[in-house]
């Protein structure tokens, strides 16, 4: 690709590989290096940090990474763009300036803020959350880079905005360049989760040279098309499959709303252009929505949990006995008390662990006394007075605060998207004049009658179908894809809303939306409310729905013999 900029990404979450920034800078040529440190749960964690100390609230690991990499980035002319500022981008910018002076590195630091709406939450109709952050676009980043910033730190921008800002600065895009911006949004979405684009969390992982995976790079062209790749010699692989999997991660319908444009995911074309080089093109863009999404986190109360082990015979009777005894002995009944029996046991097992099941009790209440020391003591006191073989997986604690995430929406015009340039000048970024009421995607429950696919065999659907799942607040998505047009025709007819509810009985009573992305041979299912009020509430065994897609892949269906693997 000619006339393209190379935008790498070295972080997919707060806690990703600490050495990745240095590895990406040393591994080959880059023009920009991004890092995504924020998630819904991360904002809650940073919010609790800020409650303890107002000077905190940013990703401290990024500052540690810059201790060894800031000078290298400046020497190589690589511009760094990260959302590690979290709830305190100004504080992180000050710390970076102090670090650059300490290292004698002439680095120009800028920061983007204005996303923090918590002080204005009540007047904006957002309640009284501990964090309230609007998802900003990429044009504040563009402004900072245009003015010569070497490092741009932001608060809560959309994950893809890191790439959008870099590409918009490189090519001089304006708000009217909707197709180009949409292309950069897609490229940013592909690389935002780091090594998930190079083989991490990939259904067909046995086809990938796993190990120490390399981080992804998007070579973005002036028209917004891109090639996804990685540094030569790094682990993993970049294939149509790994890119498709990441495209399906945490999305909803074909329209992917962002503050600067709406990317139409059903227009994407993905092609293998060479080893570890996947072309992404054809993306069309529409006007962005008139409102910005707001990440709202509320402290909801105190949560406590006990896990008891049930071994051998009469598992369900033992579970019922303990539940009855425990609830009767509790001095105070918590507001919420949920039980979950996980039958991990098997008959006539060769090991004690294989003969055991787990019974989990989770309590939630706004009163710490209802779920604290007395709750834990009640479980311990039953140790010699309940079912045979009683044991706990760990001593119970005194409970801990938990929060819940809910999305909010405000008109983009009420948010002061602001960038403070390296020279200290603060500039207000006007929202896109293109914004409009968005077109809402319509769920398609099925694709008509099933055709004749010839002889079939009983097999896990995952033999031919890949999946990627994740959380979106209290909902979850499962994106599924196949590798040929014939397979997609079968998948499209077979995997209806009713069928996925049959295969995953836990979601049978929930609302499920089904969306088609035929150009990448994929379907996306959005399951409302399966995660309660979000990951922090921790209502499921898998609170972020990371394994939901793999559970689906393990379910046995009638697979046409012509699709043998």
């Amino acid at each position: 690709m000619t006339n393209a900029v190379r935008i790498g990404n070295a972080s997919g979450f707060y806690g990703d590989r600490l050495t990745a920034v240095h590895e990406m800078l040393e591994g080959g040529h880059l023009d920009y290096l991004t890092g995504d440190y924020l998630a819904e749960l991360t904002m809650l964690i940073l919010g609790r940090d800020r409650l303890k100390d107002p000077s905190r609230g940013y990703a401290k690991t990024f500052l540690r990474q810059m201790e060894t990499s800031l000078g290298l980035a400046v020497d190589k002319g690589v511009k760094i763009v990260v959302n590690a500022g979290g709830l305190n981008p100004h504080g992180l910018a000050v710390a970076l300036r102090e670090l650059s002076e300490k290292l004698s590195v002439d680095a120009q630091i800028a920061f983007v803020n204005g996303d923090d709406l918590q002080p204005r939450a009540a007047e904006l109709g957002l309640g009284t959350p501990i964090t309230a952050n609007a998802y900003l676009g990429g044009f504040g980043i563009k402004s900072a880079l245009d003015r010569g910033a070497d490092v741009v730190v932001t608060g809560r921008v959309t994950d893809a905005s890191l790439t959008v800002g870099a590409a918009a600065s490189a090519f001089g895009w304006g708000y009217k360049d909707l197709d180009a911006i949409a292309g950069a949004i897609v490229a940013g979405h592909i690389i935002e989760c780091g090594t998930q684009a190079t083989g991490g969390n990939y259904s067909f992982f046995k086809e990938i040279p796993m190990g120490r995976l390399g981080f992804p790079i998007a070579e973005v062209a002036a028209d917004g098309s891109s090639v996804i790749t990685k540094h030569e010699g790094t682990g993993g692989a970049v294939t149509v499959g790994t890119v498709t999997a990441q495209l399906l991660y945490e999305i909803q319908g074909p329209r992917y709303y962002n503050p600067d444009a709406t990317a139409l995911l059903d227009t994407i074309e993905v092609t293998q252009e060479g080893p570890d080089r996947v072309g992404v093109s054809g993306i069309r863009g529409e006007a962005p929505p008139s409102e910005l999404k707001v990440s709202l986190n509320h402290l909801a109360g105190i949560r406590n949990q006990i896990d008891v082990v049930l071994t051998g015979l009469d598992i369900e009777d033992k579970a019922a006995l303990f539940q009855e005894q425990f609830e009767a002995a509790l001095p105070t009944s918590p507001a919420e008390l949920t039980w979950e029996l996980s039958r991990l046991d098997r008959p006539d097992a060769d090991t004690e662990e294989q003969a055991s099941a787990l019974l989990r009790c989770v309590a939630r209440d706004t009163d710490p006394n209802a779920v604290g020391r007395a709750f834990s003591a009640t479980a311990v006191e039953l140790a010699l007075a309940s079912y045979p073989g009683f044991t706990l997986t760990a001593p119970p604690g005194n409970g801990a605060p938990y929060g819940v995430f809910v999305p909010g929406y405000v008109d983009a015009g009420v948010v002061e998207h602001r960038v403070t340039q390296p020279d200290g000048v603060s500039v207000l970024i006007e929202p896109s004049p293109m914004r409009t009421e968005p077109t809402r995607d319509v769920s398609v429950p099925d694709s008509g009658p099933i055709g004749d696919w010839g002889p079939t065999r009983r097999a896990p659907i995952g033999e031919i179908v890949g999946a990627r799942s994740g959380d979106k607040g209290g909902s979850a998505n499962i994106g599924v894809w196949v590798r040929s047009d014939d397979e997609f025709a079968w998948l499209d007819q077979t995997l209806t809303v009713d069928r996925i509810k049959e295969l995953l009985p836990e979601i049978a009573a929930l609302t499920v939306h089904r969306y088609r992305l035929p150009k990448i041979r994929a379907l996306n299912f959005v399951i409302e409310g399966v995660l309660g009020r979000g990951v922090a509430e921790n209502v499921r065994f898998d609170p972020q729905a990371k394994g939901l897609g793999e559970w689906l892949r393990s379910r046995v269906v009638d697979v046409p013999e012509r699709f043998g693997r």
Side-chain angles (χ1 to χ4, degrees):
M1 181 184 292
T2 59
N3 300 320
V5 290
R6 283 171 59 93
I7 305 173
N9 180 55
S11 178
F13 67 102
Y14 191 10
D16 211 339
R17 189 191 307 166
L18 197 62
T19 58
V21 170
H22 203 267
E23 292 169 12
M24 287 294 282
L25 290 171
E26 284 199 321
H29 171 69
L30 293 174
D31 297 296
Y32 302 90
L33 182 61
T34 65
D36 178 15
Y37 294 78
L38 302 183
E40 292 162 359
L41 181 60
T42 311
M43 300 303 284
L44 176 62
I45 293 169
L46 295 177
R48 291 170 58 182
D49 283 349
R50 187 173 64 175
L51 286 175
K52 298 174 185 176
D53 182 352
S55 69
R56 295 166 66 179
Y58 58 77
K60 297 183 289 292
T61 53
F62 174 68
L63 199 57
R64 290 175 56 194
Q65 290 171 312
M66 288 297 95
E67 291 176 1
T68 57
S69 299
L70 181 58
L72 181 60
V74 171
D75 288 345
K76 286 179 168 283
V78 180
K79 307 293 186 180
I80 294 178
V81 182
V82 296
N83 61 13
L87 300 177
N88 189 8
H90 177 232
L92 179 55
V94 170
L96 284 168
R97 289 180 185 128
E98 292 173 351
L99 177 63
S100 67
E101 292 176 3
K102 176 183 175 182
L103 298 175
S104 299
V105 174
D106 183 15
Q108 301 298 303
I109 313 296
F111 68 93
V112 176
N113 63 357
D115 61 294
D116 190 352
L117 304 181
Q118 195 272 339
R120 304 165 54 201
E123 71 175 84
L124 294 172
L126 300 173
T128 56
I130 63 168
T131 70
N133 295 83
Y135 287 80
L136 301 180
F139 276 73
I141 296 167
K142 174 186 183 298
S143 176
L145 293 170
D146 289 349
R147 289 284 290 269
D150 297 304
V151 181
V152 184
V153 297
T154 78
R156 179 71 277 189
V157 299
T158 72
D159 299 343
S161 290
L162 304 173
T163 297
V164 170
S169 176
F171 299 116
W173 294 339
Y175 283 125
K176 292 183 179 181
D177 296 309
L178 293 176
D179 289 347
I181 294 171
I185 288 170
V186 170
H189 174 60
I190 293 170
I191 68 172
E192 72 189 32
C193 287
T195 53
Q196 282 195 170
T198 62
N201 294 338
Y202 183 56
S203 291
F204 304 110
F205 66 94
K206 290 186 285 187
E207 301 174 3
I208 303 294
M210 300 294 285
R212 192 174 179 84
L213 301 185
F215 279 72
I217 300 165
E219 296 178 350
V220 182
D223 64 355
S225 63
S226 63
V227 169
I228 309 302
T229 185
K230 63 186 183 68
H231 283 320
E232 187 175 352
T234 57
V238 180
T239 68
V240 166
T242 66
V243 169
T244 299
Q246 180 55 27
L247 279 171
L248 295 171
Y249 185 57
E250 296 183 344
I251 63 168
Q252 297 190 43
R255 285 177 170 83
Y256 193 60
Y257 303 107
N258 265 254
D260 303 317
T262 298
L264 303 182
L265 302 183
D266 55 358
T267 63
I268 300 172
E269 297 178 8
V270 180
T271 56
Q272 194 78 44
E273 298 196 353
D276 296 321
R277 293 184 64 81
V278 171
V280 182
S281 61
I283 302 104
R284 299 295 304 275
E286 291 180 341
S290 57
E291 293 183 321
L292 297 182
K293 184 179 178 181
V294 183
S295 170
L296 301 170
N297 282 291
H298 300 262
L299 284 179
I302 308 297
R303 180 186 183 279
N304 206 347
Q305 175 178 322
I306 56 170
D307 293 90
V308 296
V309 182
L310 313 164
T311 304
L313 304 176
D314 306 317
I315 293 294
E316 294 191 5
D317 291 336
K318 289 173 180 176
L321 171 61
F322 179 77
Q323 180 176 342
E324 179 182 355
Q325 290 179 304
F326 182 77
E327 290 184 356
L330 279 173
T332 303
S333 181
E336 297 180 57
L337 195 66
T338 59
W339 294 88
E340 183 178 0
L341 176 62
S342 297
R343 294 299 302 266
L344 308 176
D345 57 301
R346 65 185 69 175
D348 195 23
D350 292 331
T351 67
E352 183 179 344
E353 185 173 14
Q354 292 175 348
S356 299
L358 289 177
L359 177 64
R360 173 177 294 112
C361 178
V362 177
R364 300 179 185 84
D365 204 301
T366 56
D367 180 5
N369 295 321
V371 294
R373 189 180 304 275
F375 174 87
S376 299
T378 300
V380 174
E381 289 169 359
L382 287 170
L384 306 181
S386 190
Y387 64 87
F390 177 97
T391 187
L392 293 157
T393 58
N398 294 325
Y402 77 97
V404 295
F405 166 87
V406 292
Y409 296 89
V410 297
D411 186 272
V414 306
V415 178
E416 293 188 358
H417 183 178
R418 190 171 293 277
V419 55
T420 300
Q421 309 287 6
D423 56 8
V425 175
S426 181
V427 178
L428 185 65
I429 305 299
E430 294 294 333
S432 170
M434 310 290 291
R435 56 198 171 103
T436 185
E437 287 299 313
T439 302
R440 300 298 179 185
D441 293 315
V442 178
S443 173
V444 182
D446 59 58
S447 290
I450 297 178
D452 183 8
W453 293 95
T456 62
R457 57 189 172 86
R458 296 289 289 172
I461 194 171
E463 283 193 8
I464 63 167
V465 176
R468 174 66 59 79
S469 58
D471 60 311
K472 293 297 287 184
S475 299
N477 90 297
I478 307 175
V480 294
W481 82 95
V482 288
R483 298 189 257 195
S484 74
D485 292 340
D486 208 19
E487 290 174 348
F488 179 69
W490 169 78
L491 178 70
D492 193 21
Q493 292 181 0
T494 301
L495 205 54
T496 64
V497 168
D498 288 341
R499 187 67 173 124
I500 199 171
K501 286 185 174 185
E502 290 176 11
L503 295 173
L504 306 180
E506 290 180 8
I507 70 171
L510 302 176
T511 298
V512 177
H513 303 279
R514 178 183 185 269
Y515 301 102
R516 302 176 71 252
L517 299 170
K519 283 198 171 184
I520 57 173
R521 306 186 185 103
L523 302 174
N524 189 51
F525 295 89
V526 178
I527 306 156
E528 290 188 8
V530 67
L531 303 178
R533 291 180 291 174
V535 56
E537 192 178 26
N538 203 14
V539 299
R540 283 181 55 85
F541 166 74
D542 176 17
Q544 291 182 286
K546 301 301 185 186
L548 199 56
E550 288 302 299
W551 177 28
L552 175 62
R553 292 185 66 241
S554 73
R555 301 294 281 162
V556 175
V557 300
D558 293 320
V559 176
E561 291 182 357
R562 63 207 276 188
F563 300 151
R565 283 281 183 250

